[in-house]
């Protein structure tokens, strides 16, 4: 969790609440979990509401205002940054800074759930290779970190909306492009 936070937000508290230029969603927490405002959703999987549900199940006390919003309360980046020092974002950053271990568990849980859906989406002749590479990489600390980090930021590779010119970039596509006996280096290269 600390390494992901460092990679994504230089380990800084203010980096736990962000809205990147050109994006139509807030990026929150160590994993820059996506939270869309009201209206049409974008092509990427929205993960912040699932994190909120997970934190509640873990017994984390969340700010009352967060219970009232299933959609991001800021309609755009300008409104988000205009509210940067408000009680809402200050409370949210405090909760996110205090729940590093829970966010890390949430990230690991997403990885654990990824394999069955990726295998379902893979062609029958690729399934054994995908499963073998996933298990091999997941058996080492470096490999498991690479899988957790990649699936969180690039997705499983199973959503048709997460494509550029028909080309997916998710974990499924990376594993499919690797040699069957590949390891962390081959994963990095892929």
């Amino acid at each position: 969790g600390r390494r992901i936070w460092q990679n994504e937000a230089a380990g800084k508290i203010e980096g736990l609440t962000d809205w990147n230029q050109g994006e139509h969603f807030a990026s929150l927490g160590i994993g820059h979990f996506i939270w869309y405002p009201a209206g049409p959703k974008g092509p990427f999987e929205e993960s912040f509401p699932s994190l909120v549900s997970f934190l509640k199940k873990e017994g984390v006390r969340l700010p009352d205002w967060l219970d009232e919003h299933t959609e991001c309360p800021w309609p755009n980046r300008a409104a988000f940054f205009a509210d940067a020092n408000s009680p809402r974002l200050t409370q949210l950053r405090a909760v996110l800074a205090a729940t590093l271990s829970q966010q890390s568990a949430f990230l690991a849980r997403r990885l654990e759930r990824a394999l069955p859906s990726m295998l379902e989406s893979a062609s029958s002749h690729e399934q054994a290779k995908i499963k073998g590479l996933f298990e091999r990489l997941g058996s080492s600390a470096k490999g498991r970190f690479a899988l957790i980090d990649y699936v969180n930021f690039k997705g499983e590779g199973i959503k048709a909306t997460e494509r550029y010119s028909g080309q997916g970039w998710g974990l499924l596509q990376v594993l499919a492009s690797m040699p069957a006996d590949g390891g962390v280096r081959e994963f990095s290269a892929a």
Side-chain angles (χ1 to χ4, degrees):
R2 289 187 200 289
R3 186 166 171 201
I4 288 173
W5 185 8
Q6 184 65 39
N7 289 351
E8 286 307 303
K12 296 182 178 185
I13 301 287
E14 54 276 2
L16 294 172
T17 56
D18 201 7
W19 192 307
N20 294 321
Q21 184 90 26
E23 293 181 338
H24 305 290
F25 52 83
S27 296
L28 307 168
I30 64 168
H32 276 206
F33 305 106
I34 293 173
W35 199 14
Y36 288 110
K41 303 296 182 210
F44 309 113
E45 183 176 337
E46 183 177 46
S47 50
F48 186 71
S50 297
L51 173 66
V52 170
S53 295
F54 181 78
L55 293 174
K56 284 180 187 177
K57 287 177 187 166
E58 292 290 304
V60 174
R61 172 109 170 92
L62 299 172
D64 292 339
W65 69 265
L66 198 52
D67 278 336
E68 300 165 9
H69 294 282
T70 56
E71 294 173 325
C72 181
W74 301 278
N76 54 48
R77 186 174 192 267
F80 181 83
F81 281 109
D83 209 27
N85 296 315
S86 70
R88 277 196 301 196
L89 279 173
T90 301
Q91 289 171 343
L92 184 55
R93 282 190 290 273
V95 166
L96 293 169
T99 58
L100 182 64
S101 64
Q102 291 93 338
Q103 290 178 70
S104 299
F106 179 78
L107 291 169
R109 189 184 85 181
R110 179 173 182 189
L111 177 64
E112 291 164 5
R113 293 180 173 182
L115 184 59
S117 57
M118 289 188 326
L119 291 177
E120 222 174 85
S121 296
S123 65
S124 58
H125 73 276
E126 287 185 313
Q127 289 176 350
K129 174 185 165 185
I130 300 294
K131 186 174 191 283
L133 285 166
F134 185 94
E135 290 173 351
R136 181 178 308 112
L137 287 165
S139 69
S140 75
K142 283 183 180 180
R144 185 159 176 80
F145 175 80
L147 291 173
I148 288 170
D149 189 54
Y150 199 88
V151 80
N152 184 62
F153 293 102
K154 299 299 182 188
E156 291 86 352
I158 59 174
K159 291 183 75 172
T161 58
E162 295 181 340
R163 305 258 189 281
Y164 288 126
S165 301
Q167 178 64 43
W169 64 82
L171 184 57
L172 174 62
Q173 288 78 28
V174 171
L175 295 176
S177 71
M178 289 175 61
D181 62 348
V184 175
R185 280 192 188 159
E186 291 78 12
F187 179 83
S188 236

